[in-house]
Amino acid sequence: DMGLFEAVRVLSESIYNNFKINGTVEYIGIPIRLDKKSELYMFRIIQESISNILRHSKATEYFIQFVFSTASLKIHISDNGTGFNTEEYSQEKHYGLINMSERIKILNGKMKITSSDEDGTNLLFEIPYGVK
């Protein structure tokens, strides 16, 4: 009911209180509410992204940025962790990432992952408005 951005901000506060990992959540543009299905799917994707950060990255902080434009919502998630081999990800069964990818496809969106030991992991999700 509070909207995707606010729900993610509250989630980030909870993560800090429970795990003491600093998270920044911000937005650019004018926030636009998505339909409930899209907001729920995107929340689950972000939740899985944060869970992966907590379980695998050894990060001390993460950053989530919402970019609201006239045609789409972009969500960028990055961390300062150890990263992983994205080629192995595409060849192995990583169910959390597979679920994220499937949800993005349902929303007619795109997902891009880059990762390295030096730069941590960067996820970019983009979904067009008006998906039902």
Side-chain angles (χ1 to χ4, degrees):
D1 289 336
M2 65 179 79
L4 179 61
F5 175 79
E6 187 62 21
V8 171
R9 193 189 63 71
V10 169
L11 174 64
S12 182
E13 287 178 3
S14 175
I15 296 298
Y16 178 77
N17 290 335
N18 290 309
F19 299 98
K20 303 302 182 223
I21 295 178
N22 292 317
T24 302
V25 181
E26 66 178 32
Y27 68 88
I28 295 173
I30 299 170
I32 296 172
R33 290 290 305 264
L34 306 172
D35 63 272
K36 288 186 184 236
K37 174 183 155 187
S38 296
E39 285 191 346
L40 178 60
Y41 278 22
M42 291 309 301
F43 182 79
R44 295 290 183 228
I45 288 168
I46 294 166
Q47 200 173 36
E48 179 66 31
S49 299
I50 293 172
S51 177
N52 287 340
I53 291 168
L54 294 173
R55 283 186 284 174
H56 305 295
S57 75
K58 300 179 183 141
T60 58
E61 61 185 1
Y62 62 90
F63 177 74
I64 302 173
Q65 183 181 61
F66 289 72
V67 180
F68 295 94
S69 70
T70 57
S72 66
L73 169 61
K74 293 180 184 174
I75 300 174
H76 178 240
I77 303 172
S78 61
D79 67 52
N80 67 345
T82 58
F84 66 97
N85 185 330
T86 57
E87 290 178 20
E88 287 178 11
Y89 143 72
S90 63
Q91 297 171 4
E92 295 180 15
K93 298 285 186 209
H94 294 277
Y95 294 108
L97 293 172
I98 291 169
N99 287 338
M100 290 165 38
S101 177
E102 291 301 315
R103 284 188 168 123
I104 284 293
K105 286 178 189 174
I106 290 169
L107 298 174
N108 297 321
K110 300 173 190 173
M111 176 173 123
K112 181 179 178 184
I113 301 172
T114 58
S115 190
S116 72
D117 288 340
E118 299 83 30
D119 298 323
T121 299
N122 291 282
L123 302 168
L124 178 63
F125 305 102
E126 181 176 8
I127 60 166
Y129 295 129
V131 176
K132 300 289 181 201

